[in-house]
Amino acid sequence: MSKITEKPRGGCALSGISAVLSAMEKVCPVFHAGPGCAFQSIASEEGHGGGKQALYFSGAACPSSNMLEKDVVFGGVDKLRTTIQGAIYIIDADAYFVLSGCTAGINGDDIEGVVKEFDKSPYPVYSITTPGFAGNTLVGYETVINTFINKVFKKTKTQKNLVNILGIIPFHDPYWSGSLEELTRIFNALGLEVNTFFTDRQGIKNVEKAGNAALNIIISPILLKGAEKTLLEKFGIPSVRFNAIPIGPTETSKFVRKVADALKLDSKKVEAFVQNEEDYVYRYYEAGGGRLAWKRFAVVGDASYVIALTKFLADEYSFSPVLAIISEPLLRPTDKDIIEKELSHFDYARPPQVYFESDLYEITKIISENEDITLLIGSSDEREIALKQGITFRSITFPITDRLIFNKTYTGYKGALTLVEDLFDNL
């Protein structure tokens, strides 16, 4: 018997696809799906990612074929064709991506064939034929990146100072804008050009030139394993993987050195930068020393943030980790091993108990059985149990519905200071 998950975090594969495309400059998603799919797919991500809306196209504005019963029975390719024609005529975009909903996936419409009719269009039209039922948001993100690699990336000549940042999912990571901006700031200071695809008005042109990058920086313990291999084989681009968002001077400096080593950057320049950034943060630490009282804490969220927040609070702030609950579903056994290894050793603390659970009822039960927790970091969904238990709480991980987030970030050197401020503000 199948299991029902209470309050799943994120949406279907279509949600992940539309979240990525709606975060890009002048890229237009075209839905071949039932009425409401476009809006609902965005609502499950954009609507729960800190309140920020897409700048160019949101789910409420995207063109859609709005498939009805007759389109399911008799096919909807004619409707799709006119929808694409109308989108190109009305909407000023640099590229159009045709997305398939569950209805199109079930009736087997030849979406690739229709899209091929637009090969001679002055504006590129691409198809992503992955219906929503194919998986969750993470699958959708990987699908878009694989589509970029196979259909959009171009290779002319390797640009030695160009890097691609992958693994941060727009909206599903509520801090995606700020995190990418902070990482760009760091790498720009080292003389690198950064393809984020989503910030600084980047769009399809940045995706096209990504095939010339010298390095891919993948920030995730579980995403893009296949894409990492394809990028090396097809474009000759090696990758470095960091299993968590870098938060604080210790982890960020490790992150910077790992990238610098892969690119063979000037070590003196790198170390001078690292020393200056660390000094900047530590001087503020000294100014606020003792403001945060010792806590026994638990973190609930996606693996990257659970690892990052636990490491930061344990090793940088000497708090004691009690629980680490990974809320991402459908993790492979090998992925679980990687995550557990990351959470098995700390410089100044005993490892926490690690759980893999996406059901809110079970998460609440785990937290309620640990009465010695004095600080809970999680999503807006964990607020109720925190109030019931009388635990200091801060909503930091997805989904977030009680805060507005523009470009706030906890990533990097400066992001760590923001995290400490936010924790203190909620005491």
Side-chain angles (χ1 to χ4, degrees):
M1 185 175 180
S2 61
K3 179 185 176 182
I4 297 174
T5 300
E6 180 181 347
K7 298 199 76 172
R9 301 173 190 232
C12 63
L14 188 62
S15 298
I17 295 169
S18 56
V20 173
L21 296 177
S22 65
M24 297 181 68
E25 179 76 7
K26 296 192 75 173
V27 168
C28 176
V30 179
F31 285 77
H32 187 41
C37 277
F39 180 81
Q40 292 298 333
S41 66
I42 285 292
S44 64
E45 298 298 326
E46 186 180 309
H48 292 81
K52 183 170 62 177
Q53 298 179 356
L55 293 177
Y56 202 70
F57 282 109
S58 71
C62 291
S64 174
S65 62
N66 290 333
M67 298 179 72
L68 301 175
E69 289 88 344
K70 65 177 182 179
D71 303 309
V72 177
V73 175
F74 299 108
V77 292
D78 291 336
K79 203 172 192 181
L80 173 61
R81 185 179 296 109
T82 58
T83 301
I84 297 172
Q85 290 170 341
I88 294 173
Y89 180 75
I90 294 172
I91 297 171
D92 177 24
D94 293 332
Y96 303 81
F97 285 83
V98 181
L99 319 181
S100 56
C102 293
T103 47
I106 291 170
N107 76 350
D109 278 351
D110 184 12
I111 297 174
E112 293 276 0
V114 176
V115 169
K116 197 168 182 62
E117 297 174 15
F118 294 85
D119 281 351
K120 294 183 180 180
S121 168
Y123 304 100
V125 181
Y126 304 99
S127 64
I128 303 180
T129 53
T130 301
F133 58 71
N136 59 15
T137 297
L138 307 186
V139 172
Y141 173 77
E142 289 206 334
T143 298
V144 177
I145 299 302
N146 287 327
T147 300
F148 286 168
I149 293 169
N150 294 318
K151 297 182 180 181
V152 188
F153 276 31
K154 295 179 181 178
K155 181 75 172 184
T156 52
K157 182 180 179 181
T158 299
Q159 188 177 332
K160 293 183 178 180
N161 71 329
L162 178 64
V163 297
N164 302 320
I165 297 181
L166 303 169
I168 296 176
I169 306 177
F171 301 108
H172 193 74
D173 179 344
Y175 314 97
W176 60 276
S177 292
S179 294
L180 291 172
E181 287 174 3
E182 170 67 358
L183 294 175
T184 299
R185 180 191 72 83
I186 289 171
F187 291 131
N188 284 169
L190 299 175
L192 301 178
E193 183 181 341
V194 183
N195 270 337
T196 68
F197 310 119
F198 309 117
T199 57
D200 195 27
R201 295 190 178 276
Q202 292 191 14
I204 201 69
K205 297 299 181 184
N206 295 86
V207 179
E208 290 175 356
K209 73 175 186 178
N212 294 325
L215 186 69
N216 302 305
I217 302 167
I218 301 175
I219 305 174
S220 171
I222 62 175
L223 293 173
L224 304 175
K225 300 289 180 69
E228 182 178 356
K229 182 179 179 181
T230 303
L231 284 164
L232 181 60
E233 294 175 348
K234 188 173 182 179
F235 295 95
I237 309 174
S239 301
V240 294
R241 181 179 291 273
F242 212 69
N243 289 330
I245 291 280
I247 298 178
T250 300
E251 293 301 313
T252 306
S253 294
K254 288 180 184 178
F255 177 82
V256 169
R257 290 186 179 111
K258 188 173 183 178
V259 172
D261 288 345
L263 292 170
K264 296 179 172 57
L265 300 182
D266 184 335
S267 60
K268 290 184 178 180
K269 180 179 179 181
V270 172
E271 289 305 315
F273 170 79
V274 166
Q275 183 176 346
N276 184 65
E277 291 289 311
E278 288 185 350
D279 181 67
Y280 177 89
V281 177
Y282 287 135
R283 285 180 65 83
Y284 278 107
Y285 278 3
E286 292 171 3
R291 292 291 183 180
L292 277 178
W294 176 77
K295 298 288 184 181
R296 293 177 59 82
F297 70 94
V299 185
V300 183
D302 288 354
S304 180
Y305 272 96
V306 171
I307 295 170
L309 291 164
T310 303
K311 282 187 173 182
F312 175 78
L313 291 175
D315 286 342
E316 296 272 7
Y317 242 82
S318 299
F319 286 6
S320 296
V322 178
L323 295 176
I325 303 176
I326 314 300
S327 60
E328 288 164 308
L330 306 178
L331 294 169
R332 296 160 291 202
T334 53
D335 295 331
K336 292 184 178 181
D337 292 341
I338 292 169
I339 295 165
E340 287 176 336
K341 184 177 180 181
E342 288 281 355
L343 293 167
S344 66
H345 175 75
F346 297 92
D347 293 335
Y348 306 108
R350 292 179 180 178
Q353 291 180 281
V354 180
Y355 293 87
F356 296 90
E357 184 55 68
S358 56
D359 184 274
L360 180 60
Y361 174 82
E362 296 296 337
I363 291 172
T364 301
K365 184 179 178 182
I366 293 168
I367 295 169
S368 64
E369 291 173 350
N370 287 267
E371 297 180 356
D372 54 349
I373 297 170
T374 56
L375 170 64
L376 175 60
I377 295 174
S379 72
S380 297
D381 291 344
E382 281 72 56
R383 177 178 293 278
E384 184 176 346
I385 182 60
L387 291 171
K388 183 178 180 180
Q389 299 283 103
I391 304 171
T392 300
F393 173 75
R394 187 64 175 177
S395 57
I396 286 180
T397 61
F398 181 90
I400 294 179
T401 57
D402 59 338
R403 302 170 63 190
L404 177 61
I405 300 168
F406 287 142
N407 66 342
K408 178 190 283 284
T409 184
Y410 302 124
T411 297
Y413 296 104
K414 294 184 177 181
L417 298 176
T418 302
L419 175 58
V420 175
E421 288 174 344
D422 282 1
L423 291 176
F424 178 81
D425 285 348
N426 211 42
L427 292 180

